[in-house]
């Protein structure tokens, strides 16, 4: 290919000159091609890989040089001699003579460079090559990656890194390629290649490891192997990128959310020296945005635009605090360098003025931001203030237009449905529980004065805090804010502060009317989620007065149903009702809905899906934390199996189901402020407080009793014990002391460390779920098939991998339709027709290359019992099991049933030069279709199908069965013998069908015959070894047509070609002609031979060729370059029929008996199948979607 001219300093180093003229030189890389170049060639090849030279991708190049200059310019390179020779000849014919006209060497150089760039521009224009952000160096690496590993264009490379791969005890220096769906490694050292391909979806563990020998290494584990990579230039960047890509793969396994590139990133400069791809920049931006959203609790679609160092003036302590400002589409945020000192969130919807203040030595580059609630924030020490102000102004302009639209929407909603809106208008102070009805405990007169006094003091403390630090979303959040939360939020302010600290207030403000609209849409709708909600409504805080009447139950129903309709992937999960009940006690109905959204989608990700993956992940994190912080208790708890038992209920309900109500809401206060780390801290504190008792426990029941007796109680002595136990009072545990203790002992747990642990556990949990699914599927069907458990597991892996490959590189159906984790195990992975074709060619013994698709289509339609165009693993194995382990009768029965299926066959197109043949069989009548389905559905597992119950084959179906038989043998060793045997069986079955027709039509007038019977069509004898099988079949049919009027023309086939054309649409070619032409198959010839036979057919026998041509009005059609006579002794019209002869049929018993008469066919169908070899071959091919060929002594490493 032509390349933009680049200067080359040493033209002769490591290159051999093959052609030269005064201006151009064609060179070949040493070590490439025949001979390999000896030791020098091996060394050059090794250097090319180790040093990332693009020469291995392009071993040929053309250089330009003027006679008196020492500088060379590379203008073209190629991967093959043919490609580079075409460029060389073009230069000699079109450019060489022109260059001799110029006198100035600079003019020659300018002309050549301009000409080459013009060729490149013209090529890009003609081939619609779109510009992208990737640098030329990275594009070369992408091409090399696809070439080395056989990847399609859809597989996008993200980045590549130099490293060593430890193959056994030997390090192999090479390159690690990280693409969207695969981790690949390539090494070439002294003539030996090493390749590795691993799917991200197959990785079970990914971690950085440090040993004395390998201080910085990355270990990648799959179910089968462990791979270690070391000697990275930047191991942290490599590992973070690998983590991201593995996370994307896990997300795809979990809920089918694949990767979609963000096209809105800013463009790179044209001549960027960095080898960074657009995808790598996209993933880096995503990672930064995720950290930004988690830090400030922002909506999940918020994207970080940029950040800069600055200082913030804090009026409460009269200081300039050093920190970072973050700017995104809808927010300006600040956090101090010292983590707990101060943080700030300013939504742009609240901003009124952004202005640059006057600079001074004390306050350089200041920026003032004013908000609607009359707060002013002063930032300083901004590096690029003018650019920052411009960006904020642009975002403000977008925000103001959004606010205008939202106001119009809100006003229209309020005016149209005031009555409905009143359902959601209760104030936070008058939500579901009134001041006197908070809980059963607080309502007792004995404690009412004490509780009210404490509430009053809390309220005063918070009001003083608001006066000093501001109130609302723009308040300064400091260490003092945290102290107040730990002391407890007042009942009257709880709903407001939950909204503020969780970030829910922002989502509510940007989605006015959303909840009301959702409630309206979900009213009266019923599904599985609504049924489960109805079952659990009266189990939600049943002791609380607010949920002992229909008003509270109705509000809970609306919130849960609305969320189920918002997020059908989650729908409803047990424990959501308990959490939502508590939210409704302190917040309005709409606010409770948005708090539930924040919990399920941001703060507790994947907790409430059908497999509670998030809770299982955090359970694993908790076990890791317990091992680290309380190691003396960890081993004991693991032996008892208590951690996994207690943690799931603690995490799913935020302790609401295991603590007294008044204690649990204090935990929820802290959770909304500090996130999931609070739950981990508190769980560790509960274990630590009972460490001595737990160490003395002998079984899990005793340990659970200890933990149950020490559950934190409200700050009222022994109240919970008195109300719940008639025995000894439980020891008093103050929830506030427990929370404070958790911060003192375990407050060092950081959110980013938790996220790192979550990633590790997520790999383990999701792969464990996948393994469990596989085992359950295999256990379900192992008794139904002759495959072993190991074979079934291998086949399931291949079946699942085919689904994943279609997700990666496209398929004919939606991946979400084929993979639904909420379905039963057997139905979770399903494949469509296109995917089945791939597996059919890899695994099924009847697959034979060019003719496999029609057979695969028939088998797929037979296996697809429910008619949804998808088959599950059980259906797949039922078909494969018959072909691999079935006896002769079962195989023939399957073949027979495949052709009984009525309906149109998909149009198959076969190409031989310019010959296109289309075959479409007409659909049978609906009653017959239903009759066959009814027969097949009556089959049971316990009772073998009676062969007499199988429907009979009519003429059309029998013809298709014959075609299938001929096509199945087209690549077999005993091809001719099988053809002759098939011809004999076909002849025998034809005679049986005719005899049966005579019996069935006795006493009835035959009305299917029209026209006169002519002489038989000229054919070869079936025993002639040179005869084509299709000619034999046609001949036998035409012979039957002489005596009783039956003819092949009785089968009416649809044709897309014009009726009035005189050109032949079918022809038969002898074996000699087609021996070297694999594109013309037996199937296509036979299809052509029976095409458009409602018109007259003629046949002439010329030398060794048999040609079948169509004629209208007695005149023969002309076939180009093929001699024929227009008349002859055999030139007679064939009998013509206007409909299918419904009386002609054969039974399965007749078909079976006929096949048994031919030993060649019996041997073919009884031939044993090497299942293990088929599976191994399929794994090798399927690893990257196509076969990989390695010329080295090292086998390609396959993992999964």
């Amino acid at each position: 290919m032509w390349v933009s001219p680049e200067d080359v300093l040493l033209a002769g180093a490591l290159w051999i000159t093959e052609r030269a003229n005064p201006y151009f030189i064609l060179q070949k890389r040493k070590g490439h091609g025949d001979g390999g170049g000896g030791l020098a060639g091996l060394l050059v090849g090794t250097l090319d890989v180790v040093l990332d030279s693009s020469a291995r991708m392009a071993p040929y190049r053309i250089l330009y040089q003027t006679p008196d200059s020492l500088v060379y310019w590379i203008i073209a390179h190629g991967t093959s001699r043919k490609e580079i020779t075409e460029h060389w000849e073009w230069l000699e014919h079109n450019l060489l003579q022109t260059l001799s006209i110029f006198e100035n060497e600079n003019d020659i150089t300018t002309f050549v460079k301009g000409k080459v760039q013009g060729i490149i521009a013209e090529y890009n224009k003609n081939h619609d090559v779109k510009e992208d952000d990737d640098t030329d160096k990275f594009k070369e690496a992408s091409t090399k990656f696809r070439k080395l590993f056989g990847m399609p264009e859809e597989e996008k490379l993200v980045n590549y890194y130099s490293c060593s791969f430890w193959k056994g005890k030997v390090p192999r220096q090479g390159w690690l390629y990280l693409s969207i769906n695969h981790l690949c490694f390539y090494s070439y050292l002294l003539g030996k290649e090493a390749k590795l391909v691993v799917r991200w979806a197959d990785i079970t563990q990914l971690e950085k490891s440090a040993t004395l020998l390998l201080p910085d290494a990355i270990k990648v584990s799959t179910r089968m192997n462990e791979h270690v990579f070391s000697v990275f230039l930047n191991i942290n960047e490599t590992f973070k990128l690998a983590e991201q890509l593995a996370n994307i793969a896990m997300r795809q396994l979990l809920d089918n959310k694949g990767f979609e590139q963000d096209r809105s990133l800013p463009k790179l400069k044209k001549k960027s020296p960095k080898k960074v791809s657009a995808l790598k920049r996209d993933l880096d931006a995503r990672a930064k945005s995720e950290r930004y959203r988690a830090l400030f609790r922002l909506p999940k679609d918020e994207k970080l635009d940029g950040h800069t160092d600055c200082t913030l003036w804090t009026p409460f302590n009269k200081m300039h605090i050093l920190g970072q400002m973050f700017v995104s589409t809808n927010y300006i945020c600040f956090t101090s360098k010292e983590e707990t000192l101060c943080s700030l969130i300013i939504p742009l919807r609240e901003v009124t003025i952004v202005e640059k203040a006057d600079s001074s030595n004390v306050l350089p580059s200041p920026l003032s931001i004013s908000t609607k609630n009359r707060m002013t924030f002063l930032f300083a020490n901004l590096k690029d203030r003018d650019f920052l102000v411009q960006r904020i102004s642009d975002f403000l302009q977008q925000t103001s237009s959004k606010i205008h639209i939202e106001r119009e929407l809100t006003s229209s909603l309020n005016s149209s449905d005031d009555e409905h809106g009143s359902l959601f208008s209760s104030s936070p102070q008058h939500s579901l529980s009134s001041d006197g009805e908070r809980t059963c405990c607080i309502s007792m007169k004995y404690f009412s004065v004490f509780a009210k006094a404490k509430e009053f003091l809390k309220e005063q403390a918070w009001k003083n805090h608001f006066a000093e630090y501001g109130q609302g979303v723009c308040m300064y959040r400091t260490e003092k804010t945290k102290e107040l939360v730990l002391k407890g939020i007042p009942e009257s302010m709880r709903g407001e502060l939950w909204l503020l600290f969780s970030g829910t207030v922002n989502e509510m403000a940007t989605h006015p009317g959303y909840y009301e609209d959702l409630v309206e849409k979900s009213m009266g709708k019923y599904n599985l989620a609504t049924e489960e909600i109805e079952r659990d409504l009266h189990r939600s805080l049943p002791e609380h007065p607010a949920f002992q009447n229909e008003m509270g139950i109705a509000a809970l129903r609306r919130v849960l149903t609305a969320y189920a309709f918002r997020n059908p992937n989650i729908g409803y999960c047990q424990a959501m009702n308990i959490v939502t009940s508590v939210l409704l006690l302190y917040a309005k109905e709409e606010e409770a809905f948005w708090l539930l959204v924040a919990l399920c989608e941001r703060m507790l990700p994947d907790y409430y899906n059908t497999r509670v993956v998030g809770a299982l992940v955090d359970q694993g994190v908790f076990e890791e934390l317990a091992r680290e912080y309380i190691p003396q208790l960890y081993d004991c708890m693991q032996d008892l199996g208590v951690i996994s038992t207690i943690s799931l209920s603690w995490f799913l309900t935020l302790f609401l189901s295991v603590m007294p109500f008044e204690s649990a809401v204090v935990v929820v206060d802290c959770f909304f402020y500090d996130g999931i780390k609070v739950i981990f801290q508190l769980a560790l504190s509960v274990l630590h407080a009972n460490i001595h008792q737990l160490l003395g426990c002998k079984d899990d029941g005793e340990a659970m009793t200890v933990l149950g007796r020490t559950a934190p109680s409200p700050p009222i002595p022994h109240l919970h014990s008195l109300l719940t136990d008639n025995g000894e009072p439980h020891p008093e545990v103050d929830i506030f002391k427990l929370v404070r203790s958790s911060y003192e002992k375990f407050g060092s747990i950081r959110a980013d460390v938790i996220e790192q642990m979550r990633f590790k556990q997520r790999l383990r949990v999701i792969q464990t779920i996948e393994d469990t699914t596989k085992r359950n599927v295999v256990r379900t069907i192992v008794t139904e098939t002759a495959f072993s458990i190991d074979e079934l597991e291998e086949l399931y892996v291949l079946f699942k991998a085919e689904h994943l490959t279609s997700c990666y590189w496209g398929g004919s159906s939606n991946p979400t339709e084929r993979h639904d984790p909420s379905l039963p195990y057997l139905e979770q992975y399903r494949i469509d027709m296109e995917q089945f074709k791939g597996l059919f060619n890899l695994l099924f013994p009847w697959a034979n290359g060019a003719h496999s698709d029609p057979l695969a289509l028939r088998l797929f339609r037979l296996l697809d019992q429910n008619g949804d165009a998808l088959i599950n693993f059980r259906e797949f194995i039922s078909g494969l099991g018959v072909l691999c382990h079935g006896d002769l009768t079962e195989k023939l029965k399957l073949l027979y049933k495949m052709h009984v299926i009525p309906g149109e066959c998909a149009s198959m197109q076969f190409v031989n030069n310019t010959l296109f043949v289309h075959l479409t069989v007409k659909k049978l009548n609906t009653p017959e279709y239903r009759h066959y389905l009814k027969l097949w559905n009556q089959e049971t597992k316990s009772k073998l199908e009676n062969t007499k119950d199988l429907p009979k084959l009519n003429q059309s179906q029998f013809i298709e069965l014959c075609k299938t038989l001929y096509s199945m043998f087209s690549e077999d060793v005993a091809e001719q013998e099988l053809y002759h045997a098939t011809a004999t069986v076909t002849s025998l079955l034809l005679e049986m069908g005719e005899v049966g027709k005579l019996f069935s039509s006795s006493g009835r007038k035959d009305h299917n015959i029209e026209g006169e019977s002519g002489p038989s069509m000229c054919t070869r004898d079936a025993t002639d070894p040179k005869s084509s099988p299709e000619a034999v079949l046609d001949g036998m049919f035409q012979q039957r047509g002489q005596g009783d009027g039956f003819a092949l023309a009785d089968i009416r086939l649809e044709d897309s070609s014009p009726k009035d054309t005189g050109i032949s649409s079918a022809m038969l070619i002898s074996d000699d002609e087609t021996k070297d032409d694999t594109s013309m198959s037996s199937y296509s010839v036979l299809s052509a031979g029976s095409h458009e036979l409602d018109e007259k057919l003629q046949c002439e026998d010329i030398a060794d060729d048999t040609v079948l041509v169509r004629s209208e009005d007695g005149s023969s059609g002309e076939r180009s370059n093929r001699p024929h006579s227009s008349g002859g002794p055999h030139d007679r019209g064939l009998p013509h029929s206007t409909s299918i002869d419904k009386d002609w049929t054969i039974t399965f018993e007749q078909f079976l008996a006929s096949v048994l008469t031919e030993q060649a066919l019996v041997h073919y169908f009884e031939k044993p199948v090497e299942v293990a070899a088929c599976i191994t071959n399929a794994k090798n091919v399927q690893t990257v979607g196509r076969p990989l060929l390695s010329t080295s002594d090292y086998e390609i490493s396959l993992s999964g």
Side-chain angles (χ1 to χ4, degrees), residues 859-877:
L859 182 56
F860 180 86
R861 291 172 58 204
L862 178 63
L863 298 177
D864 181 19
Q865 295 178 359
N866 59 0
D868 62 353
L870 298 170
I871 62 171
N872 60 34
F873 187 62
R874 169 183 269 156
E875 293 165 339
F876 175 78
I877 288 298

Side-chain angles (χ1 to χ4, degrees), residues 586-805:
Y586 298 101
K588 294 189 228 178
E589 197 170 308
E590 183 179 9
E591 292 169 346
F593 169 79
W594 284 111
L595 283 168
L596 184 63
V597 169
L599 275 173
C600 296
E601 298 175 14
R602 286 193 289 110
M603 303 186 75
L604 297 175
D606 303 321
Y607 259 59
Y608 299 108
N609 59 23
T610 52
R611 296 181 285 187
V612 293
V613 171
L616 293 173
V617 167
D618 280 353
Q619 180 179 292
V621 173
F622 179 56
E623 291 184 12
E624 267 195 85
L625 292 171
R627 185 191 303 121
E628 182 180 347
Y629 286 95
I630 43 176
Q632 66 274 35
L633 183 60
Y634 174 76
D635 292 334
C636 172
M637 297 294 283
Q638 282 293 95
D639 293 339
L640 296 176
V642 173
I643 290 183
S644 58
T645 305
I646 59 174
S647 56
L648 202 59
S649 60
W650 289 1
F651 295 152
L652 277 172
T653 64
L654 303 176
F655 287 95
L656 287 167
S657 63
V658 295
M659 283 188 185
F661 178 79
E662 286 297 312
S663 298
V665 291
V666 175
V667 177
V668 178
D669 292 343
C670 300
F671 169 75
F672 278 126
Y673 183 81
D674 242 351
I676 191 63
K677 63 172 285 185
V678 172
I679 306 299
F680 289 124
Q681 289 173 188
L682 196 61
L684 289 171
S685 287
V686 171
L687 293 182
H688 189 269
N690 299 282
I691 188 168
H692 298 298
Q693 295 94 315
L694 290 170
L695 286 173
C697 293
K698 295 181 176 60
D699 53 45
D700 56 343
E702 191 177 347
M704 294 297 291
T705 303
V706 169
L707 292 171
R709 286 179 61 84
T710 54
S713 57
I716 304 165
H718 311 299
L719 171 66
H720 184 60
S721 306
L722 292 171
L723 291 176
T724 58
D725 195 353
N726 295 325
E728 291 288 326
H730 293 178
E732 177 188 344
V733 180
D734 189 331
I735 184 60
F736 295 111
K737 288 181 181 178
L738 186 65
V739 169
R740 189 165 293 280
S741 170
S742 73
Y743 272 92
E744 290 170 357
K745 292 175 182 174
F746 309 108
S748 59
I749 298 173
R750 295 169 54 88
D752 57 344
V753 175
I754 290 174
E755 284 304 315
Q756 183 70 34
M757 290 180 172
R758 275 179 165 176
F759 164 73
K760 179 181 175 182
Q761 295 298 328
R762 192 177 294 115
L763 283 178
R764 180 188 62 80
V765 168
I766 292 179
Q767 296 294 15
T768 301
I769 290 173
E770 292 293 310
D771 290 343
T772 302
T773 301
K774 178 176 72 175
R775 284 194 299 271
N776 287 333
V777 168
V778 169
R779 188 164 55 241
T780 303
I781 65 175
V782 69
T783 57
E784 305 171 8
T785 178
F787 289 111
S788 67
I789 291 178
D790 292 338
E791 288 173 342
L792 283 174
E793 289 186 348
E794 295 279 8
L795 290 169
Y796 180 85
V797 170
L798 291 169
F799 187 86
K800 173 183 162 186
E802 188 66 31
H803 163 81
L804 291 176
T805 302

Side-chain angles (χ1 to χ4, degrees), residues 170-422:
V170 181
R172 304 290 303 236
Q173 185 64 31
W175 290 86
L176 182 69
Y177 294 87
L178 305 182
S179 69
I180 288 297
N181 302 302
H182 297 89
L183 176 150
C184 304
F185 177 83
Y186 178 77
S187 171
Y188 178 87
L189 292 176
L190 300 178
K192 292 187 176 181
E193 282 186 331
K195 288 184 183 179
L196 173 74
V197 179
V198 182
R199 279 193 183 91
W200 291 116
D202 293 331
I203 291 177
T204 57
Q205 193 173 9
L206 180 67
E207 60 182 354
K208 279 194 291 187
S209 60
T211 62
L212 190 61
L213 182 62
L214 300 173
D216 285 324
I218 294 176
K219 185 167 73 172
V220 179
S221 303
T222 64
R223 294 175 179 85
M224 307 286 290
N225 301 301
E226 269 189 9
H227 310 291
V228 178
F229 304 92
S230 62
V231 196
F232 288 94
L233 295 176
N234 190 340
I235 188 170
N236 290 329
E237 179 189 329
T238 310
F239 185 71
K240 284 179 181 176
L241 179 57
E243 269 190 336
Q244 273 187 289
L245 293 169
N247 251 328
I248 291 171
M250 294 305 106
R251 177 59 55 191
Q252 194 166 34
L253 286 176
L254 188 60
D255 54 18
N256 290 311
K257 286 185 180 177
F259 177 80
E260 292 184 8
Q261 187 176 351
D262 184 2
R263 302 289 182 181
S264 62
L265 291 174
K267 302 289 183 185
L268 275 179
K269 293 179 180 178
K270 280 291 180 187
K271 294 186 178 180
S272 175
K274 295 183 178 179
K275 58 169 189 177
V276 62
S277 68
L279 280 173
K280 175 67 167 61
R281 292 172 56 229
D282 182 7
L283 288 168
D284 288 344
R286 289 176 188 227
K288 289 177 182 176
S289 293
E290 283 175 12
R291 289 194 293 270
Y292 168 64
R293 290 193 296 265
L295 183 60
F296 298 104
R297 306 280 169 77
L298 299 177
K300 61 180 182 179
D301 56 351
E302 192 67 17
K303 293 179 183 177
L304 177 65
D305 187 68
H307 60 89
T308 182
D309 292 335
C310 67
T311 59
L312 172 66
W313 170 253
T314 50
F316 51 86
N317 60 1
K318 307 294 189 292
M319 288 176 63
H320 290 282
I321 297 178
L322 182 63
Q324 279 191 320
M325 175 194 284
F326 299 84
V327 178
S328 60
T329 317
N330 300 294
Y331 299 89
I332 299 170
C333 301
F334 174 87
T335 185
S336 57
K337 290 286 186 184
E338 189 179 338
E339 189 176 350
T340 59
L341 199 56
C342 179
S343 67
L344 182 67
I345 301 171
I346 310 172
L348 292 182
R349 65 178 183 274
E350 299 290 328
V351 173
T352 54
I353 301 173
V354 178
E355 57 183 352
K356 293 181 280 189
D358 295 332
S359 295
S360 65
N361 292 332
V362 180
L363 205 63
S365 302
L367 178 67
S368 172
I369 299 177
S370 301
T371 62
K372 294 175 182 176
N373 60 352
R374 298 180 182 179
M375 293 180 73
T376 301
F377 304 95
L378 188 61
F379 298 92
N381 291 287
L382 293 161
K383 290 181 181 178
D384 196 345
R385 183 177 62 168
D386 293 340
F387 176 76
L388 180 63
V389 170
Q390 183 59 48
R391 292 298 292 168
I392 294 174
S393 300
D394 292 341
F395 291 140
L396 273 173
Q397 194 171 0
Q398 297 172 16
T399 305
S400 60
S401 61
K402 288 179 189 173
I403 291 173
H404 178 69
I405 294 170
E406 286 166 2
R407 281 176 180 167
E408 288 185 349
L409 178 64
T410 307
S411 60
S412 64
L413 282 170
N414 291 340
S415 61
S416 64
D417 198 0
D418 290 335
E419 186 177 348
H420 184 264
S422 64

